[in-house]
């Protein structure tokens, strides 16, 4: 693998990737694999579509003289009751749907974060400290037990986030370089110039 790397320009001692940076990395990889997020245009179209459907529903309800109501009464406390009708019932139903959707989103997000923390803990030396060699033909990642060579052509993007430079490979994996590590290197401009020849740095 070292022969495939060609002349080595830089050898960097890269520290382990912490859990918080691992979460950021997985978020970048997910966006790289699924494409960019929907823009304002798509969100506005969805909002307008929902408004049209809601307006049509309101028009039909008015035209057909439809009514809805909610009445709750206590059998243990005489005279206690709670009643909603018209707009109140509609807002209560809307709030219930919104609370349900929000609860599901928070539950799924919590499960995802727990799964990613478990993945980081199980990754062991994959996310540990290693040596990263930047050569003429690509990058060579190695630690005491394994070595991986990646040609420059396999790099598909780069991102800077919270003090970390991530180099994406094939949109499903990445190398990480702390900005502090680059800042402390005597030839940071040379490293970034080498990387820019092969990937667009942010």
């Amino acid at each position: 693998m070292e022969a495939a790397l060609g002349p080595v320009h830089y050898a960097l001692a890269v520290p382990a990737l912490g859990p918080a940076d691992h979460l950021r990395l997985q978020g970048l990889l997910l966006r790289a694999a699924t494409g960019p997020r929907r823009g304002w245009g798509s969100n506005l179209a969805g909002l307008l579509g929902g408004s049209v459907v809601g307006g049509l529903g309101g028009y039909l309800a008015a035209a057909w003289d439809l009514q809805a109501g909610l009445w709750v009464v206590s059998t243990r406390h005489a005279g206690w009751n709670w009643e909603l009708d018209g707009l109140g019932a509609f807002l209560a139903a809307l709030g219930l749907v919104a609370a349900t959707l929000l609860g599901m989103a928070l539950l799924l997000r919590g499960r995802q974060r727990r799964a990613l923390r478990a993945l980081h803990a199980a990754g062991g030396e994959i996310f540990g400290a290693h040596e990263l060699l930047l050569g003429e033909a690509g990058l060579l990642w190695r630690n005491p037990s394994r070595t991986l060579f990646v040609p420059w052509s396999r790099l598909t993007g780069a991102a800077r986030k919270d003090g970390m430079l991530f180099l994406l490979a094939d949109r499903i994996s990445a190398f990480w370089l702390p900005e502090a590590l680059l800042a402390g290197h005597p030839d940071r401009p040379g490293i970034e110039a080498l990387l820019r020849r092969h990937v667009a740095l942010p």
Side-chain angles (χ1 to χ4, degrees), residues 28 157-161 164-168 175 179 199-202:
L28 291 171
R160 279 190 162 98
K161 193 170 181 67
M164 202 60 93
L165 171 63
F166 296 103
L167 304 174
L168 309 184
F175 302 95
E179 295 282 5
V199 66
L201 291 183

Side-chain angles (χ1 to χ4, degrees), residues 10-200:
Y10 301 98
L12 306 173
V14 181
L17 186 69
D21 286 321
H22 177 251
L23 288 176
R24 297 183 186 99
L25 170 59
Q26 294 300 328
L28 291 171
L29 293 177
L30 182 61
R31 286 194 288 276
T34 58
R37 296 178 178 178
R38 293 193 309 168
W40 283 104
S42 299
N43 293 331
L44 182 59
L47 180 61
L48 290 176
S51 300
V52 170
V53 172
L56 180 60
Y59 170 78
L60 293 176
W64 295 343
D65 197 23
L66 298 179
Q67 295 184 1
L70 174 65
W71 184 38
V72 179
V73 63
S74 172
T75 58
R76 298 185 59 185
H77 300 84
W80 186 92
N81 65 77
W82 181 57
E83 184 177 359
L84 284 176
D85 59 4
L87 180 61
F90 171 74
L91 292 177
L94 189 63
L96 180 61
V97 171
T100 301
L101 293 176
L102 178 61
M104 291 177 61
L106 292 176
L107 178 63
L108 291 175
R109 183 174 177 82
R111 284 187 174 182
Q112 182 186 48
R113 293 179 72 88
R114 286 194 297 273
L116 290 176
R117 283 196 292 267
L119 176 63
H120 180 268
E125 63 182 19
I126 294 178
F127 303 117
H130 59 275
E131 185 179 28
L132 186 64
L133 306 181
L134 309 182
E136 187 64 30
L139 303 93
L140 190 136
W141 178 102
R142 69 182 177 191
N143 63 19
S145 63
R146 67 183 66 188
T147 301
L148 173 67
F149 169 68
V150 176
W152 289 117
S153 59
R154 300 275 293 276
L155 294 187
T156 52
R160 279 190 162 98
K161 193 170 181 67
D162 297 328
M164 202 60 93
L165 171 63
F166 296 103
L167 304 174
L168 309 184
D170 294 333
R171 302 185 187 279
I172 57 171
S173 61
F175 302 95
W176 62 91
L177 289 170
E179 295 282 5
L181 174 65
L182 293 175
H185 196 280
D187 191 19
R188 175 175 183 167
I191 294 175
E192 296 200 346
L194 174 62
L195 294 175
R196 283 195 184 93
R197 289 208 302 269
H198 304 286
V199 66

